[in-house]
Amino acid sequence: QVYLVESGGGLVQPGGSLRLSCAASGSTAMISAMGWYRQAPGKQRELVAIISSRSTNYADSVTGRFTISRANDKNTVYLQMNSLKPEDTAVYYCNAHWFGSDFWGQGTQVTVSS
């Protein structure tokens, strides 16, 4: 089992920045990749960014604005969000890929509004 807790969400003005954190616990040694997804009302949950030991990947909508990274112990993943837009407003979820399984956090709300 892997347990994930997100933090760092909040209200920010358009053009502002926010950094999300995800702390993993449990059988973290078996995590092969971690990522961030988001879901806005009326929309499907979508991939924002994912990181593994070999690569990173970003949604086209956030490329150049968001950066995903991991702490040295690999148990914490961050999402640095810059140049935020109102359309970035969503609940952001942390994800951990564990062999053939996926584990999810409870989510953190990000609201971009003036």
Side-chain angles (χ1 to χ4, degrees):
Q1 283 282 341
V2 176
Y3 305 92
L4 305 172
V5 180
E6 302 97 335
S7 63
L11 175 65
V12 65
Q13 297 181 29
S17 298
L18 209 60
R19 190 179 78 158
L20 306 182
S21 298
C22 174
S25 61
S27 300
T28 59
M30 300 180 69
I31 296 174
S32 60
M34 296 184 68
W36 290 94
Y37 291 70
R38 67 187 182 187
Q39 187 168 24
K43 297 181 66 177
Q44 292 183 293
R45 185 174 298 185
E46 63 178 352
L47 172 70
V48 176
I50 189 166
I51 187 169
S52 70
S53 62
R54 294 176 289 182
S55 65
T56 58
N57 191 37
Y58 296 91
D60 289 343
S61 60
V62 307
T63 296
R65 300 188 297 120
F66 291 10
T67 303
I68 189 170
S69 61
R70 296 177 74 177
N72 289 336
D73 64 8
K74 300 183 179 180
N75 291 329
T76 304
V77 65
Y78 305 98
L79 184 68
Q80 178 67 47
M81 304 184 292
N82 299 324
S83 302
L84 283 162
K85 305 174 181 179
E87 52 263 44
D88 295 318
T89 296
V91 177
Y92 284 70
Y93 297 91
C94 184
N95 167 269
H97 190 64
W98 190 86
F99 277 72
S101 300
D102 289 284
F103 297 87
W104 299 90
Q106 292 299 305
T108 185
Q109 177 71 47
V110 172
T111 302
V112 184
S113 176
S114 60

